[in-house]
Amino acid sequence: MEFDHILIRFGEISTKGRNRKKFVDRLKKNIKEVLNQFPSLTYEGTRDRLYIHLNNEQHEEIVEKLKLVFGIQSFSLAIKCKSEIIDIKEMALKAVKSLYKSNDTFKVTAKRADKQFPLDTNELNYQIGSHILIHTENLTVDVKKPDINVRVEVRAEATYITCYDFKGAGGLPVGSGGKAILLLSGGIDSPVAGFLSLKRGVELEVVHFFSPPYTSERAKQKVIDLTKELTAYGGKIKLHIVPFTKIQEKIQEQVPENYTMTSTRRMMVKIADQLRQKQQALALITGESLGQVASQTLESMVAINDVTSTPILRPLITMDKTEIIDIAKEIHTHDISIRPYEDCCTIFTPANPKTKPKVDKVSRFESFVDFEELVTEAVNNVNTLTITENQKDEFGEFEDLF
Ligand code: ATP
Ligand code: MG
């Protein structure tokens, strides 16, 4: 049985009034990008639906990719046939046969958009239903909670039959909610923060602070791979790699040990914020969770946040580590995050970081160095990569190591 197209239903965006067209256009664009390896697909939009014409393309892989695209409520494999009762009955039967398992239940829900059609909905339901019952075994009718709901939409030009709804990812189309800069470390938390922001329609650019030779190329590859996982939800993502060694060394030299963590984070925020401005993004995003580590107390957040008035989104703020890990596993970032390469913070982590740093103290410590100049230099030397889903791994042999 060949389904010839996929019918996509929108989620929350149907309630968004005036912005609706913008949302739908963005969703279409994201879907096309996620499916760009299938150039023979064609797309057709109506007010509240999107049809993807498969044009003989196999549907399995397309279905898996669509399940991840934010802004889709549900979607179904569909088949189109002539609006003649003989054709409709045959097609509905074929569609059910290709899907059902022994002891499944079904019902038929017909809709007659073409009022000229000679049969009304009751007659349609009855005729199609009995045709299916007669020609199948171990399949019964259940009108309340069927396993298979055969939806038949009779229109003048053609009839559409769908049997099974796949659940979409929900959320809002990536990019419909503006752009933000995600600080991505290589740990477990920040990729999850990125995923949750994408879910609410935020487009991401990613910044990573890299401190060679203290951190290795493999640590960088980890961040590339994490970013690549995030492209499944809305397409390509820019990754800005910031040379951070000089600043970290300066902090080690100048700032008392228990304040180095606070200073490091402040410099990261300053740099990320300058990049944000350059890239015309609206906010920063981190993977912080309240109380998880010394730098994530409210007092620390006050001291770190002091360097900017830009909103910093912290999607994980109230989550427990176990909840974060569960999501990380679901989105396939967990196993990448636990690869053993250190990021710049792990290496410079002081033994006793201050859990209640004071803004005036940290700014005084920093005042002995021209950090502004170092920040500007770092921003000017950023290396920007565009990460796509088909990004190749420079360390091809990597998978074999773990
Ligand atoms: P993660 O699991 O995301 O590394 P964490 O629990 O290790 O988080 P911290 O090390 O305190 O927490 O980092 C807090 C946040 O600061 C991270 O979630 C991330 O957003 C940002 N961050 C830390 N290190 C880096 C880095 N090297 N590059 C970019 N962002 C970073
Ligand atoms: Mg970390």
Side-chain angles (χ1 to χ4, degrees), residues 325-339:
I325 288 175
D326 285 346
I327 302 177
K329 287 183 174 161
E330 228 170 273
I331 64 171
H332 306 120
T333 54
H334 178 265
D335 289 356
I336 303 172
S337 293
I338 60 173
R339 288 180 197 162

Side-chain angles (χ1 to χ4, degrees), residues 182-193 206-211 223 244 248 261 264-265 268 285-289 292-296 316 321 324 337 343-346 349:
L182 170 68
L183 284 76
L184 187 70
S185 64
I188 292 174
D189 302 335
S190 36
V192 175
V206 167
V207 53
H208 175 68
F209 298 92
F210 186 51
S211 301
V223 172
F244 203 49
Q248 285 207 294
M261 176 70 95
T264 307
R265 290 281 181 268
M268 285 185 177
I285 303 167
T286 72
E288 289 163 299
S289 155
Q292 201 188 76
V293 291
S295 60
Q296 298 178 17
L316 312 184
K321 193 73 184 186
I324 300 169
S337 293
D343 80 359
C344 58
C345 303
T346 331
T349 303

